[in-house]
Amino acid sequence: MDEGRVKLEFFYYLAVADAHFFQLQHIPDEAERLGEALLQVDADGRDLLLLAYCLDLSDREIGLLLGTSRSTIQRRRQRFLDQMKQLLKE
């Protein structure tokens, strides 16, 4: 594995750890509902959404971190957002 890939993977794991820590902080009721819904989405979806919306990474940047294409990330992000919307309606 090349050094650039190792750095990207290290950054990814740090970002996910920070995002999970952020979820545990005291937050208002609506944000708490959002956090609860996030916990119901599978781990891959949760990580992708946290990278996109908490760390403000683009689909291209997330694709580089995860070793997949921008279009795949875009489709997955939309699928997980749809799941979140459904969970929040309940």
Side-chain angles (χ1 to χ4, degrees):
M1 185 178 290
D2 67 53
E3 184 179 335
R5 181 71 183 167
V6 170
K7 286 180 183 177
L8 281 175
E9 287 187 9
F10 179 71
F11 171 75
Y12 168 73
Y13 289 115
L14 283 179
V16 170
D18 285 346
H20 287 297
F21 176 75
F22 177 75
Q23 288 179 15
L24 300 175
Q25 302 302 306
H26 177 70
I27 48 180
D29 290 341
E30 288 183 25
E32 189 171 329
R33 277 189 60 226
L34 182 61
E36 289 172 5
L38 260 178
L39 291 174
Q40 294 179 46
V41 174
D42 69 60
D44 291 338
R46 182 172 47 250
D47 293 345
L48 193 152
L49 293 174
L50 292 171
L51 288 170
Y53 296 104
C54 290
L55 296 177
D56 201 29
L57 296 180
S58 69
D59 291 341
R60 181 181 170 279
E61 293 167 323
I62 296 169
L64 288 172
L65 287 173
L66 301 180
T68 191
S69 70
R70 179 204 55 80
S71 60
T72 297
I73 296 299
Q74 185 177 15
R75 283 191 306 274
R76 288 180 185 169
R77 183 176 45 79
Q78 188 58 53
R79 185 177 74 229
F80 294 127
L81 282 175
D82 291 343
Q83 287 178 6
M84 289 289 295
K85 288 177 189 176
Q86 194 63 28
L87 289 167
L88 290 170
K89 285 181 183 179
E90 298 173 355

